[in-house]
Structures are given as structure tokens and as C-alpha cells.
Amino acid sequence: MLGRPLGKYHLQKLLATGGMGEVFLARQEGPASFAKTVVVKRLLRHLAADPAFVKMFLDEARLAALVTHPNVVQIFELGEENGTYFIAMEYVRGRSLRDVGRALPEGRLEPGLAVHVAAQILHGLHAAHTLRGDDGAPLCLVHRDVTPENVLVGFDGAVKLVDFGIAKAASSTSTQRTTLKGKVSYMAPEQFQDRPLDPRTDVFACGILLYELLAGCRPFAGASEAAVMHAILGAEPMPLLERGFGVSPRLSAIVDTALAKDPADRHASAEEMAKELEAWALEEGAAASTTALRDRMRALFGDEPAGGQGAPPASTDPVFTEAAGPSRTVQMTAPMAARPAVLAAPAKTSRAPLFFAGIALAVL
């Protein structure tokens, strides 16, 4: 399939394979030497005959394409050729936030840069949370999978949120309410309890990301996924203020608010948390910029490789973890309060030195 066209795209390199699709680096070519590098996600062939999976894939493209924001990867096209469905999307030359963490000497980023990254993620989330349909009605989109793997940091300093693969929208009906998908270590308490989800669910996950960036470890520890679930549900994380990394009381309090067990005690929106972080940065004289983040990326990874084909960091061990290994995507068929969670095997993925936007949709 490589080298052959899929629609107007020539597939060049397989970047990853998941439970639903394959993701390729691709080239779009046109008249007068026009050429553009994109990422193409193709629905797996054996799923193309299943109407349920086709519907999920189409929902993915339809909803993700509606989110237009500088901090969210752009969707270009939904296509179909000889029964093969595919999505073409923006190609980001850079690394995932996971790889940035691995490249940092102690897994920690300077507070000003960490806050800048978190604020950019929150602005992208707010754009998704406030999205409206053609009729003007709110879509109530919740990402549900805000993780270091799903945040891309470009070699130019841009921060982009990717993979709305398990996002929920009130207008979609692709999955049942009792199916829970996501990475355990980044889920909010309400996701384990089959309670309603709203933007504050993503705020909780962003609080975990910011805690990781500042401390080099996750706030909720456990030797197993079940133990991490119970920690998220019932344990209070050690405040950043007590970890001794020079985090100010105010910044520690902002993160504590984001990690509140009860959604009512968190920031009311992603935008509210972003504004608090930006206000802290200005008052502390720690405001960072895209240029500063670009320079930090160059210090970590060197100059941008030609064509973006850089080698991955030398270490492949997860830095952002206090649990026994990296988080996995799970499915639970009943609320945790009702009976123990049933963990499904993680989807097989291949790691690539360059990251991309992989997306797929489910619903609230």
C-alpha cells in the first residue's frame, strides 16, 4: 500500500496502528509542483464491513473537523475510495509531550514553560467544549483522553491537542453510556462512576498533566491500574508545594483546584483555569512564549531534523509515572462502584519519532 495513492494522497510511511485504524505519513501533490505533507488515518480493512465501526469513523471525522483552533490539529478531509474510509489531517513536526518529559533530565519543565504548555492545551480544550452545531445548539464535546501522548509540541514551539478518538458529544450515538474508554491514569473520578461528564472532566486531566510537568511524576500512584483508580477516587495527592521544586503556593493551589474530586470544586471551565495560570505567570514574571518553548525544544532535541525525521529520545522508559509502567487504554463495562473494572487488552501501537493527530469519536 505504501507508495500507492489513496485518494489524492500518496502513503509514504506507517506511523502507528491502533484498534480502529492505521496512521500514515502521506504526501499530497498537485499542479505546478504543489506538494504538502499530511497525515492520513485509514479505517482498518476488516472493520470497513462493520456498519458500527464505519459510523464511529465517520462521527470522528465529522466532529473533529468542526474544532478549529490553533491549539488543535486541523482536519482537512474525510475521503472514501473503493470502500476504504480515511481522514487527512495536519502534520505536526515535533514530539509528543510524553517524549518531552522523557528528554528532560528529571522529567520536569521550568514552571513558566510548564504553565505555558498547560494554558495552550486548555485553550484548545475550551474551543472544543464550546463548539456549537450548525443549528447553534451546543455539542457538549468532552475530549476524555487528555494525556501526554495526545499533546504535540512542535519544533516551532506550537502546542497542539490531538486525538479526539474517544471524545463524547451529546449529538452522537456511537457508543453506549456504560462503556468507558481512556487511559486510567488520566481519568477523573466521575469517569469511573458512570456520572455525567462535562468540560471539568478534561480540566482534571489537564491538572494531572501540569502536575507531571512540574514534579516529574503523576499525582496518583499505584502498583496496578486498579490501585491507580482507587487513588484517583479516594486519595489526596501530595501538594506540589510540599515536593520542594520551587512551586509557589498560588500555582500549587491552582493545580489542587483542578484535581478536586468533586467537579463542582474545580475550575468551572478550561478557559477559567487557563486565565488563572496566565495571571500567575504575569504576576510572577514567569510568562513564557512560543519562542521560549521553541528554544527549549531545540535544547532538548537539537535543531529540527530535515523533514522532521528526528530520532526519538535515547530513553524509552516512562518518566511521567509513579505506577508500574505506562498507562493503557481500558474499557470498563460497568461503573466502578457497581463491580470491579474489567480491563481490556491495550491496542497495539507502533511508536514513531514524529507525532501526528489520530482521532476517533464516541459520545455522551
Side-chain angles (χ1 to χ4, degrees), residues 29 98 137 156 161 208 221 240 329 336:
E29 298 178 351
R98 174 70 72 199
D156 60 358
L161 182 66
I208 294 178
L240 285 166
T329 300
M336 188 170 181

Side-chain angles (χ1 to χ4, degrees), residues 290-345:
T290 297
T291 300
L293 185 57
R294 180 202 66 191
D295 293 344
R296 193 71 174 94
M297 289 291 288
R298 289 180 177 178
L300 289 173
F301 301 105
D303 292 335
E304 179 183 347
Q309 297 292 336
S315 172
T316 57
D317 296 327
V319 174
F320 292 158
T321 181
E322 288 185 349
S327 62
R328 296 187 292 163
T329 300
V330 303
Q331 294 185 354
M332 296 200 302
T333 57
M336 188 170 181
R339 59 184 175 88
V342 178
L343 303 182

